[in-house]
Amino acid sequence: DTTLIVTRINIHIDTNSSNIPVQFWIKDGTNQGFETDMSAWNYIDEGLIRVGKGMGKKSIIRLPSNIYVQGGQSVAVYLRVPDEFNIVFTFEEDKVFENDNIMLSN
């Protein structure tokens, strides 16, 4: 089996502010049906967006703790920023990105 190690995540956030705290939560399986059930999620850690890049430009979040995903395992990731900021999502129904090592879906 192959283990994927997630060390950073790129997001789009609607600000150019600095040092924006981001909470990281994960759960085994899918997020579907658990969007509002925080008891299903495991808090990992808090990181920082050093400088938000604004709308349409990716901002890099280096994870304070790596996320390890075993081959064949599904993991959902939940990111939480302070209420005055918004993470901007692009949603394409049933969009899947994959190669020989990983499959990402929404």
Side-chain angles (χ1 to χ4, degrees):
D1 281 336
T2 302
T3 299
L4 174 74
I5 303 170
V6 181
T7 61
R8 65 181 176 218
I9 295 176
N10 297 330
I11 66 167
H12 294 262
I13 191 162
D14 66 345
T15 185
N16 293 321
S17 297
S18 299
N19 298 319
I20 303 160
V22 182
Q23 291 181 348
F24 292 90
W25 302 71
I26 64 170
K27 70 174 289 305
D28 287 331
T30 181
N31 69 315
Q32 294 178 348
F34 299 97
E35 296 89 346
T36 60
D37 181 5
M38 290 308 296
S39 67
W41 296 83
N42 297 305
Y43 177 74
I44 297 297
D45 212 335
E46 185 171 288
L48 283 177
I49 299 173
R50 293 184 193 262
V51 178
K53 304 291 184 182
M55 296 292 285
K57 297 179 182 173
K58 65 183 176 185
S59 299
I60 298 170
I61 308 168
R62 295 205 183 277
L63 301 181
S65 300
N66 293 340
I67 298 172
Y68 296 87
V69 183
Q70 300 300 316
Q73 180 184 15
S74 294
V75 175
V77 177
Y78 170 66
L79 306 175
R80 185 175 185 176
V81 296
D83 290 340
E84 65 264 28
F85 304 114
N86 293 298
I87 296 174
V88 182
F89 292 97
T90 301
F91 181 78
E92 297 179 44
E93 191 153 341
D94 298 325
K95 188 71 174 181
V96 175
F97 302 92
E98 65 182 307
N99 65 24
D100 291 340
N101 299 309
I102 187 171
M103 180 178 75
L104 302 172
S105 64
N106 52 7

